[in-house]
Amino acid sequence: MQASETRLAPEAPASPRLTAMPGGVSPRRALPRGPRTPRLFQSLRYSLWPYASLDISTRRYGDCYTAYPLGGPPMVVFTDPEAIKEIFTSDGAELRAGEAAGPILGPILGWHSILLLDGERHHRERRLMAPPFHGERMHVYGRIMREIADRVVDGWPLGQPFPIHHEMQAITLDIILRAVFGVDEGARFARIRERIVRFLAQADGPAAAFLAIRPFQIELRGLTPWGRFVRDREAIRAELVAEIARRRSEGTEGRTDILSMLVEARDEQGEPMTDAELIDEMFTLLMAGHETTATSLAWVFHHVLDRPDVLAKLRAELGRVVGDGPVEAQHVPQLEYLDAVLKESQRLTPVATNVIRRLTGPMRIAGRDLPAGITVSACIYATHRRPDLWPEPERFDPERFVGARPAPYTFFPFGGGIRRCIGAAFATYEMKIVLAQVLSRVELGSAPGYRMRPVLRTITIAPSGGMPVVAERRR
Ligand code: HEM
């Protein structure tokens, strides 16, 4: 591997300028109405009250408005399924997800990450990375997922509150380490896990917001947040280089982990992924797959623990399908009510509120002419709460999904089109196994006095305080 390949790219791609509109209309004037408060205020409001701030804007401006985030171009937000369809069915030439995400994610994931690529490079990467995540392969990971969930549940205190979100993070991290990185238990596992936990604490911690801001990216021998971040990232990188080298020299026969499959993958020219590509993609899978899944699980507990009717139905289904034994691969497709509960939780409290694309040229979306340089958002949260699509949208009602498929472009917790989450099947399978296992092992209730507030973490919206619960042994 070239030394230069291992470094983070020094520069983010340049931002395109807003172009003039036909007839010389200023691009900003052509944008839909939206909040006129200062950008700092708009960003602060979203950081403090992520869901409520979207509710306020939708109530005031309807299904299309312009928001002005701090440090970025204007963002035109859509919640109308027709507009969402236009965004998701674009071939990616004019609507670029990589360019939109680059300035924030580039320094964290590395510039080879699929999340930052557009056009042909994204297409190639997607073809290389998609096969290991195919839905039919997921049963391969079922046993690992169940064992990890069981081990974590074994450590829970009985009768005292503990934050279940943190426990879900422990489960999803170990699942990524074993199923994606292919690191087995033992000293190597413990060492890599410890390094990743330290790295994630930087990327998710209080200094996370500064990591993406260039003037704050000063290393100072590991004394600054950025310096510590780079140091921890390099330590994991070294472990990954060793893991890749091991697979290249020993072969991957008999291995089912996703890293092994990516090492073996070949593009249409018969070329493998380079080490630099593999490393950035492993960081991407870690960052995109760990916190999102843990937070989605925490939200399910928030919704079901105060609903004895929903819990009773879930338990009845588990008893009928799984019985007294552990949940096995063949049970998962039969757990229809569990599937509905999961979807309803993702509808009401999606962990990502917006899916964002950047316009490289002027474009007409939902009958509106928009200038190049802006971003557009398919707003997951606000679309999922439209009363015309989802009657009584604030009510948690899994029955909406029982025996029914949502209308196209009305439900998209995993985004859509050519950029739809590559790990959607993996995450869904994992969440079902974990929920089935937890609910069959322990009785859970919300911690006394807990009042949930949705809070913005680095990349997700989560229930506040780690979602404290109390566990009791199941009778
Ligand atoms: C419940 C858990 C998860 C949620 C809610 C979620 C959500 C999302 C969303 C909203 C996107 C953007 C899609 C778009 O731009 O249209 C995305 C992309 C992505 N996700 Fe997930 N994700 C989850 C779990 C995972 C897992 C487990 C992995 C892998 C281990 C993963 C890997 C990725 C990757 C690689 C992309 C980029 C795809 C591309 O740009 O082509 N995600 N995810």
Side-chain angles (χ1 to χ4, degrees):
M1 182 174 30
Q2 300 275 311
S4 60
E5 278 185 317
T6 69
R7 307 227 50 93
L8 305 179
E11 293 293 339
S15 304
R17 289 179 172 277
L18 302 194
T19 52
M21 299 299 290
V25 177
S26 129
R28 276 175 204 277
R29 291 205 150 199
L31 295 175
R33 280 175 346 116
R36 304 307 293 179
T37 44
R39 283 166 179 270
L40 177 62
F41 179 84
Q42 293 191 32
S43 291
L44 211 56
R45 194 179 70 163
Y46 180 78
S47 306
L48 293 174
W49 303 285
Y51 288 160
S53 75
L54 294 172
D55 285 331
I56 292 171
S57 295
T58 310
R59 262 201 304 277
R60 195 163 296 163
Y61 302 104
D63 60 10
C64 175
Y65 63 89
T66 307
Y68 294 86
L70 193 64
M75 176 168 80
V76 178
V77 179
F78 290 98
T79 68
D80 171 26
E82 276 307 309
I84 308 291
K85 179 178 175 187
E86 286 179 41
I87 295 171
F88 284 161
T89 51
S90 141
D91 64 3
E94 282 148 338
L95 290 177
R96 300 199 156 231
E99 263 178 40
I104 307 270
L105 296 181
I108 296 174
L109 303 176
W111 295 92
H112 297 288
S113 162
I114 185 169
L115 275 161
L116 308 188
L117 303 178
D118 286 303
E120 187 41 47
R121 281 193 70 201
H122 172 258
H123 192 48
R124 169 186 181 265
E125 202 76 351
R126 190 91 197 183
R127 277 197 309 258
L128 286 164
M129 289 178 72
F133 288 100
H134 196 277
E136 282 168 15
R137 282 201 73 248
M138 290 309 114
H139 64 271
V140 172
Y141 305 118
R143 196 175 49 81
I144 295 179
M145 291 168 173
R146 194 183 68 214
E147 284 171 6
I148 290 172
D150 262 342
R151 207 189 43 225
V152 171
V153 173
D154 284 342
W156 287 357
L158 296 178
Q160 312 163 24
F162 65 94
I164 201 161
H165 186 183
H166 301 181
E167 301 299 306
M168 294 300 117
Q169 287 170 324
I171 292 177
T172 60
L173 176 57
D174 285 3
I175 289 176
I176 292 218
L177 277 173
R178 293 204 41 205
V180 178
F181 285 46
V183 192
D184 298 325
E185 301 290 337
R188 207 152 43 88
F189 179 90
R191 191 183 62 233
I192 297 180
R193 188 179 199 286
E194 193 219 301
R195 294 193 161 164
I196 290 184
V197 166
R198 217 170 336 127
F199 170 78
L200 290 172
Q202 303 277 342
D204 278 346
F210 298 105
L211 294 177
I213 303 173
R214 277 195 68 76
F216 289 99
Q217 290 171 357
I218 306 160
E219 285 193 41
L220 268 186
R221 299 184 187 191
L223 294 175
T224 59
W226 175 252
R228 282 192 291 279
F229 177 78
V230 171
R231 186 196 57 204
D232 293 342
R233 194 179 195 282
E234 287 306 312
I236 301 171
R237 184 182 282 274
E239 297 286 356
L240 281 169
V241 168
E243 286 296 321
I244 294 166
R246 188 170 301 123
R247 281 165 182 74
R248 294 215 202 278
S249 65
E250 292 171 7
T252 55
E253 203 174 320
R255 301 198 66 121
T256 55
D257 59 271
I258 286 172
L259 174 58
S260 293
M261 293 189 68
L262 294 181
V263 166
E264 293 301 331
R266 297 290 178 271
D267 67 13
E268 280 166 355
Q269 274 68 50
E271 294 296 323
M273 291 167 83
T274 65
D275 283 10
E277 285 169 335
L278 284 166
I279 288 167
D280 287 358
E281 296 308 10
M282 296 314 278
F283 273 101
T284 302
L285 297 177
L286 173 68
M287 299 301 282
H290 155 65
E291 183 62 26
T292 44
T293 314
T295 309
S296 299
L297 282 163
W299 277 119
V300 177
F301 290 111
H302 165 71
H303 291 297
V304 304
L305 292 192
D306 293 327
R307 286 286 300 272
D309 56 325
V310 174
L311 272 176
K313 277 190 169 181
L314 277 172
R315 292 229 159 90
E317 182 180 73
L318 284 169
R320 205 170 50 248
V321 174
V322 181
D324 288 336
V327 57
E328 303 282 358
Q330 74 272 16
H331 299 136
V332 176
Q334 298 174 55
L335 296 170
E336 288 174 9
Y337 191 68
L338 179 62
D339 183 68
V341 166
L342 197 53
K343 288 195 170 114
E344 178 65 346
S345 177
Q346 291 182 305
R347 179 190 71 79
L348 206 50
T349 45
V351 299
T353 53
N354 292 286
V355 173
I356 295 171
R357 311 278 188 256
R358 186 149 200 169
L359 258 65
T360 52
M363 197 175 168
R364 175 168 259 251
I365 298 178
R368 291 171 189 271
D369 288 312
L370 301 173
I374 62 157
T375 56
V376 292
S377 149
C379 188
I380 304 176
Y381 172 82
T383 310
H384 286 186
R385 291 207 174 210
R386 281 178 66 126
D388 56 338
L389 305 175
W390 303 99
E392 291 187 71
E394 318 258 304
R395 199 158 59 87
F396 181 78
D397 178 13
E399 304 296 333
R400 300 175 201 272
F401 289 98
V402 176
R405 285 166 73 96
Y409 306 104
T410 59
F411 177 69
F412 47 96
F414 293 108
I418 55 170
R419 311 294 301 220
R420 183 172 186 270
C421 175
I422 220 167
F426 185 95
T428 305
Y429 196 83
E430 173 178 355
M431 290 190 288
K432 288 181 183 175
I433 298 266
V434 172
L435 287 167
Q437 217 42 26
V438 169
L439 292 172
S440 3
R441 296 262 328 262
V442 284
E443 299 281 351
L444 286 174
S446 302
Y450 173 62
R451 290 202 52 192
M452 193 283 293
R453 213 166 38 82
V455 290
L456 176 67
R457 292 169 51 82
T458 310
I459 52 169
T460 57
I461 316 290
S464 53
M467 177 65 216
V469 300
V470 178
E472 300 292 349
R473 205 183 305 282
R474 278 210 81 196
R475 268 162 287 133

